[in-house]
Amino acid sequence: MFLLRAAEGPRWMAVFLLLAALCCLFSPVVMVKHENFKTCEQSGFCKRNRQFADDAASSSWVSPYALDPASITFKDGQLAATVLKTLKEGEEKVRLPLIVTFLESGVARVTLDEEKRQKGDIILRGDSKARKERYNEASNWAIVGGLDAATGAALSAEAEAGYTKVFYGDGGKHQALIRHHPFSIEFQRDGETQIKFNDKGLLNLEHWRQKVEKVEKVKVEEKKEGEEEKKEGEEENKEQEPQGEDESTWWDEAFGGNTDTKPRGPEAIALDITFPGYEHVYGIPEHATGLSLKTTRGGDGAYSEPYRLYNADVFEYELDSPMTLYGAIPLMQAHRKGSTVGVFWMNAAETWVDIVKTKSITNPFSLGLLGKTDTETHWISESGIMDVFVFLGPTPQDITRQYGELTGFTALPQSFAIAYHQCRWNYVTDEDVKDVDRKFDKFKIPYDVIWLDIEYTQEKKYFTWDPLTFVNPTKMNEHLDKRDRKLVAIIDPHIKNTNDYPVIDQMKSKGLAVKNKDGNDYEGWCWPGSSMWIDAFNPAAITWWKTLFKYDSFKGTASNTFIWNDMNEPSVFNGPETTMPKDNLHHGNWEHRDVHNVNGMTFHNATYEALLERKKGEIRRPFALTRSFYSGSQRVGAMWTGDNLAEWSHLHASIPMVLNQGISGFPFAGADVGGFFGNPSKELLTRWYQAGIYYPFFRGHAHIDTRRREPYIAGAPYTEIITQALRLRYQLLPAWYTAFHEASTTGAPIVRPNFYIHPEDENGFAIDDQLYIGSTGLLAKPVTQEGADSVSVYIADDQPYFDYFDYTLYQGAGHHTVAAPLEKIPLLMQGGHIIPRRDRPRRSSGLMKYDPFTLVVVLDKDGNASGTLYVDDGATFDYQKGAYIHRRFGFDGKRSALTSIGLGTKGTKTDAYLKAMAKVRVEKIIVVNAPSAWEGKTEVVVSEEGAKESARRKKVAFEYFAKDGKKAAWAVVRDPKVGVGKGWKIDFS
Ligand code: NOJ
């Protein structure tokens, strides 16, 4: 503030106002409100554990945890023992039951609990109804398989004093070396340590203790220490308090006007996990950060805050920040040349992760040359048991597969769900929806799904339609259905607390709402004003939720209506950190603090279940989008990265965020195309579409205050360029769907970062601004800089790469400049792959169902290529009964032949599906990098299984195009008329 003299006031004021207005014009005023969210220092348990880490850094530090060797038992792949925590001299040790399970998959699981709380042998403060145990049900939500104990795991015969050694996994290649005193574990693969638990001595389980009220405390101490009687009033004297631990946030904690009561006192669980020799760690979404995670305890370019996992509605989130966002997956993988390992910290409470990298000098005579880097991580959760899975790789594919076996693979979506979605807050009437739909057709722009945000409801009452604006939703749905288009409507977890609304009446009368700490229905503020939240932890709530989605209950919806779950962190406008009080109670009397990070997933899961059962006998794969997520959410739908900004920096940030989702087991991910807040320039919007076609979940969305920006609005040349981008997505839908199928069966990401494809290429470990699509060899580098007319694409290997459109060759490891004027999308094809496409432009993916295929055969440096195609009805679960086509195409350079062989296994519905697809053929084969020996050739010989004698070895026209400067030679087989579901061979020799 500055003061103005009276006479100068008006003139200066005018200048000031003008300046202020200019500032608003030129510098975005949007900024996250840091004060609404805690820093580690403001979060009691985080602060205590960082302090613990600082104390432990002293050379005299000895971890107070020791395993009692006499307590060890080992049976059926499971080691059980008691870890003892030593307190002060003379105090009884705290007993912590430890279980280490060695799984058949080669994964190890370590759980540590607290005996006293486990037995319920604690006293809750006040008259709290909360559960006494540490939360141990995260696995009920996160884990769906992979828990078979290893039959071959065995204790080592050779006894080493002070250690217990277990051989497990991969024929005994893995070992767990458990040290007794102090307690620590080293996980080794082939005799080499990959992961260490408690190597730094940061294991800290805050054991239960009774609150000693001040007056009593002095008395207890007086008695114990046998001091003289204190005079009255002395208990108020701060100097009488024992020195030592900071108890200020043990029993309650205030933040932003809310006080969190803690009926069980301090109960954090923390552990250091070290990855020796690993410089790169990835994972632990969701953060707006690069793929390779930064260090968090200061230093150049480092963060000073730990990465935080506490699902929250962070308004106008900032980039390059470890601040929490909407979802949490506590899976981290560490990568180095030759090895990838990982840990899954399965805890549902607020969690912070510090990362420190230390360089060690391996050779003291190396004159300053540094040796390997170790990554030391420190995991700190507010409550719950310690439950950690350890993956020893050795490849990135092993980690995603094993993690997927535990938490489930991505659900195979309906095919429309991987096409383009058009959303905004809001399409305002049913006529508006139809009008947008017609305009897409008028401009020949493909799209599949139109979305309705919260304004379609009557006063934000979900499962209702605003009668003035959405007069005839049924007709609207029918209109969309004509071109096989779908509608997605939003349904949030806050239920308006009002009269005359059956949904809230039912929820209250059935007792299905989340409760406050006193056990009454919790009431907070969200879009509808006063609201209550469905407690989807309660099976009865899921049963009830299902009834609301039946077509005759949610009238106006039909089989082409799907659902968007937003605000499920949960977002509570007047709650602490915009969410629920931690002392709220859920089903089973678990405190919200215990379950916060899985809360969003339970709601998303309830919606998925409801969509499965809308109508008896109608079985379609559900589609439900979620904003909040946890490990396991991938089983029930897609996610998006929330409220981004219409700025180039946010476009850029979306690529590593989506890549990170992929390697963290939840690959069906995308960001709002165009940016949610603000109005993108036409250039930005165009570039965003060109990037968005590479998001597995591809949706344009915009805030209610923004201008309309459907692709047809931008005008020439932008509309045409955006349309071309959309067509490219649609052309490649067969490749995308095949990548989704792979994700749904192996856990492999749908879009993949460089390190995942080239795990040996050290130069590419931190590259996160380009991506590979599935196993297709398609390498995309989206333009994310304003005014750019070229991009630098990083090539990791010595294979030839070809421009997707004109076959220009790029070869040699390193960076290559690829032209990228506005109308061009930088996309390369790595030699060695066969890419399936459908080339006929259509209005929606549904209309492409029986279209023929094109195969692009991109020969590698040895003249070979291979690829796969997966096709099914894109809607039902019949594929589980064999109703699908799964082919492997292979081009063998030596024999100069292309073959198609089946990969599927026959089921009860195979024949019927193949019959339905009998006429669907491969209509074109393009061979890129075609051998010069083919020059002059005019036909190839095609043979197909089951063909009539006369049609065997038919000759088909072939054209060859010679190399042209940097453009590779290519050839085309026009209409070989081979069935896509059949076995066949094309002879080029
Ligand atoms: C917040 C969501 O992130 C945004 O996408 C949506 O438009 C608004 N809620 C309104 O529902």
Side-chain angles (χ1 to χ4, degrees):
M1 282 284 269
F2 53 92
L3 298 172
L4 302 171
R5 271 184 284 154
E8 288 172 346
R11 193 158 42 97
W12 278 104
M13 186 55 82
V15 174
F16 175 75
L17 288 176
L18 184 70
L19 279 176
L22 286 174
C23 278
C24 292
L25 271 183
F26 295 118
S27 61
V29 277
V30 282
M31 251 264 282
V32 68
K33 290 199 174 58
H34 279 279
E35 64 278 16
N36 287 356
F37 298 93
K38 288 183 183 177
T39 60
C40 177
E41 181 75 16
Q42 290 166 324
S43 158
F45 74 95
C46 186
K47 181 180 175 188
R48 293 196 295 273
N49 278 286
R50 263 197 164 183
Q51 183 58 51
F52 192 91
D54 290 343
D55 296 345
S58 88
S59 55
S60 58
W61 176 260
V62 181
S63 167
Y65 296 83
L67 184 146
D68 172 10
S71 67
I72 298 176
T73 58
F74 188 88
K75 196 172 169 251
D76 300 334
Q78 202 168 71
L79 180 144
T82 304
V83 171
L84 299 171
K85 176 182 181 182
T86 303
L87 304 177
K88 289 191 206 106
E89 228 9 84
E91 284 186 49
E92 200 183 323
K93 292 186 174 162
V94 181
R95 297 174 61 80
L96 311 175
L98 168 82
I99 296 177
V100 188
T101 315
F102 300 94
L103 306 175
E104 196 61 53
S105 59
V107 175
R109 179 185 190 179
V110 182
T111 63
L112 190 67
D113 204 339
E114 182 182 352
E115 196 174 273
K116 238 181 181 344
R117 293 190 202 252
Q118 208 177 40
K119 290 183 174 160
D121 186 14
I122 67 167
I123 300 160
L124 297 177
R125 291 180 56 233
D127 45 11
S128 169
K129 296 173 183 60
R131 283 282 274 267
K132 294 181 171 176
E133 307 97 296
R134 285 176 172 271
Y135 184 61
N136 57 7
E137 292 185 359
S139 61
N140 293 0
W141 295 101
I143 303 293
V144 289
L147 288 183
D148 294 345
T151 42
L155 280 177
S156 162
E158 54 184 83
E160 195 179 334
Y163 288 88
T164 300
K165 193 171 186 175
V166 181
F167 291 100
Y168 70 105
D170 209 1
K173 279 185 181 163
H174 299 171
Q175 299 111 54
L177 191 61
I178 304 170
R179 181 175 164 166
H180 302 162
H181 200 151
F183 166 66
S184 68
I185 312 182
E186 283 190 22
F187 294 93
Q188 306 182 338
R189 194 184 63 227
D190 293 323
E192 200 185 332
T193 300
Q194 310 292 340
I195 295 178
K196 299 196 256 188
F197 278 15
N198 203 31
D199 186 53
K200 302 273 142 204
L202 309 190
L203 174 62
N204 184 26
L205 183 143
E206 293 181 335
H207 60 283
W208 183 75
R209 59 212 105 179
Q210 196 165 356
K211 180 167 170 34
V212 182
E213 301 298 342
K214 261 187 190 169
V215 178
E216 286 160 25
K217 188 192 299 181
V218 171
K219 288 191 179 146
V220 167
E221 276 155 15
E222 282 165 3
K223 251 181 126 184
K224 204 164 52 193
E225 290 158 23
E227 288 172 14
E228 282 174 19
E229 283 284 316
K230 296 265 184 310
K231 284 183 218 117
E232 262 212 338
E234 254 187 1
E235 62 271 15
E236 297 302 326
N237 185 345
K238 283 263 185 287
E239 283 168 22
Q240 297 291 338
E241 297 230 340
Q243 299 296 305
E245 292 182 273
D246 171 12
E247 295 186 20
S248 58
T249 51
W250 278 13
W251 312 106
D252 45 48
E253 192 168 340
F255 182 76
N258 284 279
T259 299
D260 172 22
T261 64
K262 301 185 182 209
R264 300 177 303 219
E267 50 179 330
I269 172 78
L271 175 72
D272 61 275
I273 301 177
T274 301
F275 302 99
Y278 291 85
E279 188 173 349
H280 291 274
V281 284
Y282 311 110
I284 55 168
E286 182 182 26
H287 302 98
T289 50
L291 190 67
S292 178
L293 301 174
K294 288 188 179 180
T295 59
T296 59
R297 297 216 70 180
D300 263 1
Y303 299 138
S304 52
E305 286 289 306
Y307 285 89
R308 188 182 189 204
L309 295 170
Y310 187 57
N311 298 349
D313 184 358
V314 183
F315 186 66
E316 288 164 353
Y317 62 78
E318 66 181 2
L319 303 179
D320 195 12
S321 164
M323 265 182 91
T324 196
L325 284 178
Y326 312 92
I329 300 180
L331 169 71
M332 179 184 277
Q333 46 197 297
H335 182 71
R336 63 171 166 78
K337 192 174 175 169
S339 181
T340 316
V341 296
V343 290
F344 170 35
W345 176 270
M346 194 174 57
N347 186 296
E350 179 184 351
T351 298
W352 300 77
V353 187
D354 259 322
I355 298 175
V356 174
K357 298 186 186 184
T358 53
K359 278 201 188 275
S360 53
I361 300 169
T362 41
N363 174 359
F365 304 107
S366 58
L367 295 176
L369 286 179
L370 291 175
K372 63 185 180 76
T373 299
D374 296 343
T375 298
E376 298 162 7
T377 62
H378 184 198
W379 299 70
I380 308 165
S381 291
E382 182 176 13
S383 66
I385 61 167
M386 187 180 100
D387 197 348
V388 198
F389 291 86
V390 177
F391 307 91
L392 293 181
T395 67
Q397 290 71 23
D398 290 323
I399 309 290
T400 43
R401 193 192 67 252
Q402 290 172 339
Y403 173 77
E405 281 163 6
L406 291 168
T407 62
F409 298 130
T410 289
L412 184 65
Q414 291 208 35
S415 45
F416 79 81
I418 69 169
Y420 175 62
H421 301 253
Q422 180 61 48
C423 186
R424 82 168 273 110
W425 180 13
N426 221 97
Y427 291 115
V428 291
T429 62
D430 46 4
E431 283 307 321
D432 188 12
V433 168
K434 289 195 252 175
D435 182 54
V436 172
D437 180 78
R438 280 189 209 106
K439 290 216 172 89
F440 268 89
D441 282 351
K442 184 172 163 210
F443 286 84
K444 297 194 169 56
I445 304 173
Y447 99 101
D448 268 56
V449 194
I450 190 157
W451 289 53
L452 292 179
D453 209 321
I454 48 178
E455 311 300 329
Y456 79 87
T457 58
Q458 184 176 26
E459 296 156 359
K460 316 289 185 299
K461 290 185 281 193
Y462 303 113
F463 307 101
T464 69
W465 300 89
D466 185 324
L468 298 178
T469 50
F470 284 84
V471 185
N472 199 336
T474 302
K475 266 212 157 134
M476 176 180 70
N477 266 319
E478 284 166 5
H479 171 99
L480 295 172
D481 195 40
K482 281 191 190 123
R483 279 170 203 81
D484 219 336
R485 291 198 175 120
K486 322 288 171 189
L487 180 82
V488 170
I490 199 167
I491 299 279
D492 289 353
H494 46 257
I495 304 298
K496 185 168 175 144
N497 187 21
T498 186
N499 297 327
D500 280 343
Y501 181 31
V503 178
I504 189 78
D505 295 342
Q506 290 169 15
M507 189 167 85
K508 280 186 191 169
S509 66
K510 290 173 187 280
L512 302 176
V514 178
K515 306 283 184 281
N516 64 20
K517 66 176 168 28
D518 305 318
N520 302 317
D521 288 347
Y522 167 71
E523 189 255 320
W525 207 258
C526 207
W527 298 127
S530 171
S531 306
M532 290 179 173
W533 276 258
I534 172 185
D535 183 11
F537 285 90
N538 187 345
I542 300 178
T543 307
W544 167 68
W545 196 242
K546 286 178 185 171
T547 65
L548 303 176
F549 287 82
K550 305 268 182 201
Y551 298 133
D552 52 7
S553 172
F554 189 2
K555 292 214 166 66
T557 60
S559 60
N560 64 337
T561 314
F562 297 89
I563 300 298
W564 171 15
N565 285 161
D566 186 19
M567 314 295 275
N568 50 339
E569 295 75 23
S571 176
V572 182
F573 295 159
N574 61 339
E577 302 195 82
T578 330
T579 191
M580 251 177 207
K582 286 178 168 170
D583 46 14
N584 269 6
L585 295 172
H586 288 268
H587 176 67
N589 281 337
W590 294 112
E591 276 200 290
H592 185 70
R593 119 180 44 256
D594 297 322
V595 300
H596 176 85
N597 281 348
V598 281
N599 181 81
M601 177 163 81
T602 63
F603 178 62
H604 188 206
N605 171 63
T607 302
Y608 174 90
E609 297 279 329
L611 287 177
L612 270 180
E613 290 185 21
R614 286 192 287 187
K615 190 177 157 203
K616 224 173 171 215
E618 178 198 70
I619 305 285
R620 292 271 182 285
R621 292 173 232 169
F623 173 78
L625 178 76
T626 183
R627 190 170 71 176
S628 186
F629 55 88
Y630 189 73
S631 302
S633 294
Q634 69 273 10
R635 302 187 301 261
V636 288
M639 64 73 69
W640 92 109
T641 62
D643 298 347
N644 58 1
L645 270 58
E647 288 175 9
W648 288 92
S649 56
H650 275 259
L651 165 58
H652 190 78
S654 69
I655 308 294
M657 288 177 83
V658 167
L659 284 171
N660 199 14
Q661 287 293 130
I663 58 164
S664 303
F666 194 178
F668 196 3
D672 283 349
V673 170
F676 180 68
F677 291 115
N679 294 301
S681 67
K682 291 181 179 182
E683 182 193 350
L684 175 56
L685 184 69
T686 306
R687 289 303 198 189
W688 214 316
Y689 270 99
Q690 291 179 334
I693 62 168
Y694 302 121
Y695 300 152
F697 172 62
F698 177 30
R699 182 187 73 155
H701 183 39
H703 186 268
I704 194 164
D705 293 335
T706 59
R707 291 193 286 273
R708 290 268 172 140
R709 52 163 104 130
E710 290 66 35
Y712 48 79
I713 288 180
Y718 305 98
T719 294
E720 179 55 26
I721 297 173
I722 294 171
T723 306
Q724 289 309 328
L726 283 156
R727 292 231 172 101
L728 179 58
R729 171 72 172 218
Y730 275 70
Q731 180 183 53
L732 285 170
L733 282 176
W736 282 98
Y737 198 60
T738 303
F740 269 83
H741 175 258
E742 196 184 332
S744 76
T745 52
T746 69
I750 294 157
V751 290
R752 305 176 182 172
N754 195 79
F755 93 87
Y756 194 90
I757 302 276
H758 304 284
E760 302 297 310
D761 173 38
E762 282 175 306
N763 295 330
F765 290 169
I767 287 187
D768 59 8
D769 57 358
Q770 57 182 50
L771 52 90
Y772 287 87
I773 303 172
S775 300
T776 61
L778 282 163
L779 168 59
K781 167 92 186 214
V783 176
T784 59
Q785 303 293 323
E786 186 168 16
D789 57 9
S790 68
V791 288
S792 171
V793 180
Y794 177 75
I795 288 181
D797 56 7
D798 62 353
Q799 282 296 347
Y801 285 69
F802 304 93
D803 185 283
Y804 181 81
F805 304 97
D806 67 10
Y807 314 144
T808 299
L809 168 72
Y810 298 89
Q811 195 163 16
H815 283 92
H816 294 257
T817 302
V818 176
L822 190 63
E823 65 282 4
K824 173 100 193 285
I825 305 177
L827 179 62
L828 303 183
M829 304 180 287
Q830 185 193 27
H833 296 273
I834 298 180
I835 303 160
R837 318 194 300 213
R838 270 177 161 154
D839 286 355
R840 301 191 181 185
R842 301 277 185 196
R843 293 165 195 219
S844 72
S845 72
L847 303 176
M848 300 167 83
K849 209 166 167 183
Y850 298 109
D851 276 356
F853 289 84
T854 291
L855 298 179
V856 185
V857 180
V858 191
L859 301 184
D860 67 8
K861 57 184 165 61
D862 302 318
N864 301 315
S866 69
T868 57
L869 170 69
Y870 174 84
V871 196
D872 62 23
D873 67 17
T876 72
F877 288 95
D878 285 357
Y879 68 92
Q880 292 171 351
K881 295 183 181 139
Y884 64 87
I885 289 169
H886 196 191
R887 312 293 308 178
R888 172 170 296 285
F889 307 114
F891 187 89
D892 181 341
K894 284 206 186 84
R895 289 167 50 227
S896 222
L898 176 68
T899 49
S900 167
I901 56 163
L903 295 177
T905 26
K906 205 166 168 179
T908 51
K909 300 217 164 178
T910 307
D911 288 343
Y913 182 68
L914 289 181
K915 203 169 159 208
M917 293 292 285
K919 292 212 170 90
V920 179
R921 65 191 202 283
V922 175
E923 68 167 348
K924 198 196 288 177
I925 292 165
I926 297 170
V927 183
V928 179
N929 199 17
S932 55
W934 291 357
E935 190 146 19
K937 195 173 177 48
T938 55
E939 43 186 41
V940 291
V941 179
V942 177
S943 36
E944 190 181 40
E945 69 175 353
K948 287 194 198 111
E949 193 60 37
S950 55
R952 288 230 176 107
R953 298 191 57 76
K954 65 183 179 210
K955 292 197 170 140
V956 172
F958 166 93
E959 244 183 302
Y960 179 87
F961 301 87
K963 190 168 176 291
D964 175 12
K966 286 190 126 195
K967 291 181 186 149
W970 63 287
V972 59
V973 179
R974 288 195 211 282
D975 214 354
K977 289 201 177 66
V978 283
V980 72
K982 295 237 174 99
W984 44 257
K985 180 178 167 198
I986 301 181
D987 201 335
F988 290 76
S989 56

